[in-house]
């Protein structure tokens, strides 16, 4: 009996520590570090992985992108405003290029464009040809199996993998999935972001908490900080720097689209996805890795 009590006590202590850790992860934002390499590619992480990584955004700081427009009473910190990393994220050429598609998808599925932009930045760095090691494709990093559950199918002329490189199709799929996750976790943005990365099953497995996976925890922190950057007020009229390239995040890694699956122009493929569905498809898997 004493051994049983001792075992139960240890189990209870471990459980409480785990819950406390997950709560702390969910409630605090991490510092963001980064650098731009010699090829003009941005690298971001929640840790200072080596001497190249410099502090970009403090986790305990507040940031509202309305500061960029000059309408906010609190001006933007010049150190942040003049940071190459800040310009990299706020003036990326593809932000403007895909802005209309983002706004259309956000309006259709009652999402904040800032959330779509933040997820897109973390997933692909605004690269429509990005492919993850596990096969997630495009701007929002959609898995072909998940796309099929939402009604997208391939054909002899264009396999589903190539259709997912269409920005309009890819953005709308990602937005629809985020909408469904928001219905599962209303007003719980962190769980929505965690589910997008690890799958809603993983979040449910850990009692609707952020799963204790280092990748997912870091991903949530990155997306939350990027969301602060893209909140309403960002001056999208700023002329982009033509030398800017896509973002490279430490978590998760991406590779380029194979040459035989080049991005396709916007088409009407997105319209085959029924807009009226209100819940996640049965046995839904993570939309990304």
């Amino acid at each position: 009996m004493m051994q049983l009590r001792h075992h139960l006590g240890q189990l209870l202590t471990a459980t409480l520590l785990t819950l406390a850790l997950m709560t702390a992860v969910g409630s605090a934002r991490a510092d963001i570090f980064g650098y731009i390499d010699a090829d003009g590619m941005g690298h971001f992480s929640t840790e200072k992985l080596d001497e190249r990584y410099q502090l970009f955004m403090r986790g305990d700081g507040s940031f509202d992108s309305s500061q960029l427009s000059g309408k906010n009473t609190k001006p933007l910190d010049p150190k942040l405003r003049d940071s190459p990393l800040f310009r990299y994220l706020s003036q990326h050429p593809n932000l403007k290029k895909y802005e209309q598609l983002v706004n259309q998808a956000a309006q259709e599925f009652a999402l904040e464009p800032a959330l779509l932009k933040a997820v897109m930045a973390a997933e692909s760095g605004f690269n429509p040809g990005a492919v993850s090691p596990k096969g997630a494709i495009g701007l929002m990093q959609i898995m072909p199996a998940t796309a099929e559950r939402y009604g997208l199918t391939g054909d002899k002329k264009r396999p589903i993998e190539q259709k997912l490189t269409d920005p309009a199709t890819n953005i709308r799929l990602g937005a629809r999935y985020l909408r469904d996750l928001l219905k599962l976790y209303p007003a719980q943005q962190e769980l929505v972001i965690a589910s997008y990365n690890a799958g809603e099953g993983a979040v449910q497995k850990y009692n609707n908490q952020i799963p204790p996976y280092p990748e997912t925890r870091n991903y949530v922190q990155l997306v939350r900080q990027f969301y602060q950057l893209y909140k309403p007020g960002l001056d999208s009229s700023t002329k982009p720097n033509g030398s800017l390239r896509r973002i490279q995040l430490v978590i998760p890694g991406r590779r380029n689209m194979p040459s035989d699956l080049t991005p396709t122009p916007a088409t009407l493929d997105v319209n085959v996805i029924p807009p009226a569905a209100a819940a996640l498809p049965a046995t839904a898997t993570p939309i990304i890795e």
Side-chain angles (χ1 to χ4, degrees):
M1 181 62 71
M2 292 296 295
Q3 290 180 338
L4 178 60
R5 289 180 178 176
H6 179 69
H7 177 72
L8 290 175
Q10 288 182 320
L11 180 61
L12 177 60
T13 300
T15 301
L16 291 174
L17 286 173
T18 300
L19 290 175
L21 177 59
M22 288 192 291
T23 300
V25 170
S27 60
R29 290 202 301 266
D31 292 341
I32 303 297
F33 298 84
Y35 74 98
I36 298 177
D37 64 23
D39 295 325
M41 181 177 292
H43 300 255
F44 294 86
S45 176
T46 55
E47 300 178 6
K48 186 177 176 64
L49 299 178
D50 56 46
E51 292 304 315
R52 296 172 299 177
Y53 285 83
Q54 302 299 315
L55 181 63
F56 170 51
M57 295 179 69
R58 290 192 177 278
D60 57 359
S62 60
F63 176 79
D64 186 333
S65 57
S66 63
Q67 294 169 288
L68 290 175
S69 65
K71 298 178 181 179
N72 195 294
T73 56
K74 182 179 179 181
L76 186 64
D77 183 349
K79 291 183 179 180
L80 177 61
R81 181 194 61 206
D82 298 333
S83 165
L85 293 170
F86 178 80
R87 293 197 300 270
Y88 194 99
L89 287 171
S90 64
Q91 301 174 30
H92 195 286
N94 283 350
L95 268 174
K96 186 67 174 179
K97 183 176 181 179
Y98 302 125
E99 184 175 23
Q100 183 176 359
L101 295 176
V102 168
N103 290 338
Q104 289 174 347
Q107 182 176 8
E108 179 179 1
F109 295 108
L111 298 172
E112 293 180 274
L115 179 59
L116 281 175
K117 292 177 182 179
V119 171
M120 193 184 300
E123 287 298 333
S124 68
F126 305 102
N127 176 17
V131 180
S132 79
K134 294 185 179 180
I137 297 170
L139 292 165
M140 302 294 289
Q141 289 292 279
I142 311 294
M143 292 293 289
T146 304
E148 288 179 342
R149 291 191 177 96
Y150 277 103
L152 186 68
T153 59
D155 51 50
K156 293 182 179 180
K157 292 184 178 180
R158 297 176 63 215
I160 192 170
E161 291 82 2
Q162 190 170 19
K163 289 186 176 183
L164 282 174
T165 66
D166 169 21
T169 301
N170 198 284
I171 291 172
R172 188 170 186 272
L173 278 167
R176 183 173 168 186
Y177 186 61
L178 284 169
R179 185 276 311 269
D180 290 344
L181 291 174
L182 278 167
K183 289 188 175 183
L184 280 179
Y185 302 110
Q188 298 182 79
Q189 188 188 77
E190 292 177 350
L191 296 185
V192 170
I193 297 170
S195 296
Y196 198 94
N197 175 259
E200 64 276 7
V203 173
Q204 292 165 352
K205 176 182 177 181
Y206 289 94
N207 299 316
N208 293 328
Q209 300 283 344
I210 299 175
Y213 311 146
E215 173 182 324
T216 300
R217 290 177 175 176
N218 289 334
Y219 178 86
V220 170
Q221 300 290 6
L222 284 169
V223 173
R224 289 186 70 212
Q225 290 289 56
F226 289 163
Y227 168 76
Q228 293 295 317
L229 175 67
Y230 296 123
K231 282 171 61 177
L234 179 63
D235 185 5
S236 60
S237 64
T238 303
K239 294 182 179 180
N241 184 338
S243 65
L244 297 180
R245 305 196 181 182
R246 75 178 182 89
I247 300 165
Q248 176 65 48
L249 297 178
V250 174
I251 296 181
R254 302 289 179 231
R255 61 182 174 85
N256 290 332
M257 174 68 72
S259 58
D260 60 340
L261 289 177
T262 54
T264 56
T267 68
L268 295 179
D269 288 333
V270 70
N271 292 329
V272 306
I273 307 169
L280 290 166
T283 63
T285 57
I287 203 163
I288 57 170
E289 303 182 3

